[in-house]
């Protein structure tokens, strides 16, 4: 009989809250504020502002490494894409349309990264899931890592990674096409709506799919246990 999934440990409220504040503050809020302040108020170039903004995820990685004695994959991915965005901003023309296309290419690269990690020992959504499904404590991290032994869990992580990858590649292609046919003013408004709309839709789907797979796994485990009990009766 296959081993049953271990129970998820109770979340540490304090550790979870601190982890979320650091994650959102240093990986999302601080880079955006730094970039906007430097480009709009101080006249910095996009490249210079993005490069300096990438210092915040570096700080987050250093704090997490010192606090939990491990490298946080979420911060590393954020850092990589800040660097990619900075590099992409230097390539080619610097017109408004070109900048919109470059912005779209970054989300497309994220989609390709998702698809590429399907060939790795563990796909990207495994690490993103660990970031948001646990509080970062050794107990919850060990629980999440231990779930990888179950085929259903592995299948769920790979399916999620595939869907995110395909969705972001498709979103990038659509935005690039629209950048050529719509007015720049229209795209400046539409582009962020598409970015956050796709992110929101993927978030809702991921939560639904994860709960559905968990329920299916619990049902199969209950059926297996009932069959084993009947066989030994």
């Amino acid at each position: 009989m296959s081993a049953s999934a271990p129970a998820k440990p109770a979340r540490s409220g304090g550790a979870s809250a601190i982890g979320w504040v650091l994650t959102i503050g240093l990986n999302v809020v601080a880079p955006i504020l730094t970039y906007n302040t430097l480009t709009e108020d101080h006249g910095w170039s996009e490249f210079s502002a993005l490069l300096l903004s990438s210092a915040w995820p570096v700080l987050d990685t250093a704090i997490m490494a010192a606090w939990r004695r491990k490298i946080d994959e979420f911060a590393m991915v954020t850092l990589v894409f800040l660097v990619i965005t900075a590099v992409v901003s230097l390539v080619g023309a610097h017109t408004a349309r070109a900048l919109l296309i470059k912005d779209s290419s970054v989300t497309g690269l994220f989609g390709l990264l998702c698809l590429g990690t399907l060939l790795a020992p563990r796909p990207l959504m495994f690490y993103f899931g660990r970031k948001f499904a646990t509080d970062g404590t050794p107990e919850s991290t060990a629980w999440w890592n231990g779930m990888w032994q179950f085929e259903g869990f592995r299948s769920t992580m790979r399916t999620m990674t595939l869907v995110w990858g395909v969705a972001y590649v498709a979103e990038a292609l659509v935005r690039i096409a629209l950048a050529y046919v719509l007015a720049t003013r229209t795209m400046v408004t539409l582009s962020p709506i598409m970015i956050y709309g796709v992110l929101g839709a993927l978030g809702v789907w991921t939560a639904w799919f994860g709960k559905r797979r968990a329920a299916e796994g619990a049902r199969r485990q209950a059926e297996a246990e009932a069959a084993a009990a009947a066989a030994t009766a």
Side-chain angles (χ1 to χ4, degrees):
M1 183 175 65
S2 60
S4 60
K8 181 179 179 180
R11 294 175 67 94
S12 169
S16 179
I18 293 173
W20 273 102
V21 169
L22 287 174
T23 295
I24 301 301
L26 296 179
N27 289 279
V28 180
V29 178
I32 292 174
L33 290 178
T34 300
Y35 174 80
N36 290 337
T37 300
L38 293 177
T39 55
E40 296 176 6
D41 299 337
H42 298 284
W44 282 44
S45 68
E46 290 184 339
F47 175 76
S48 299
L50 284 168
L51 192 61
L52 187 61
S53 298
S54 66
W56 293 109
V58 172
L59 177 60
D60 180 42
T61 301
I63 292 174
M64 290 299 179
W67 180 22
R68 294 170 178 166
R69 296 184 180 181
K70 69 182 182 70
I71 299 297
D72 185 84
E73 294 85 2
F74 182 84
M76 290 300 296
V77 170
T78 302
L79 173 60
V80 167
F81 272 89
L82 283 170
V83 173
I84 290 175
T85 303
V87 172
V88 168
S89 69
L90 293 179
V91 178
H94 289 77
T95 63
R97 175 173 284 115
L99 289 175
L100 287 169
I101 293 171
K102 291 173 186 178
D103 183 55
S104 301
S105 69
V106 172
T107 56
L109 286 172
F110 176 75
L112 291 176
L113 175 63
C114 286
L115 297 177
T117 61
L118 291 173
L119 302 176
R122 297 184 183 186
L124 188 60
M125 284 301 121
F126 170 84
Y127 300 104
F128 273 39
R130 188 171 67 187
K131 179 68 178 180
F132 295 106
T134 72
D135 56 15
T137 58
E139 294 77 15
S140 62
T141 300
W143 165 77
W144 183 264
N145 292 342
M147 291 296 292
W148 187 254
Q149 67 182 294
F150 300 103
E151 191 279 331
F153 181 81
R154 297 194 299 270
S155 174
T156 298
M157 293 297 104
R158 292 189 175 112
T159 300
M160 288 180 176
T161 303
L162 175 64
V163 170
W164 277 68
V166 171
Y168 268 110
V169 169
E171 183 266 353
L173 292 175
V174 170
R175 277 204 293 145
I176 290 173
L178 291 177
Y180 282 104
V181 299
L182 297 179
T184 299
R185 183 183 297 273
T186 302
M187 278 304 299
V188 168
T189 301
L190 182 60
S191 187
I193 292 175
M194 291 182 64
I195 293 173
Y196 291 109
V198 170
L199 178 61
L202 285 172
V204 171
W205 175 84
T206 299
W208 169 81
F209 185 70
K211 290 180 180 178
R212 176 186 173 185
R213 282 295 182 91
E216 291 175 352
R219 176 180 55 79
R220 287 194 297 268
Q221 180 177 330
E223 292 174 350
E225 292 174 350
T232 56

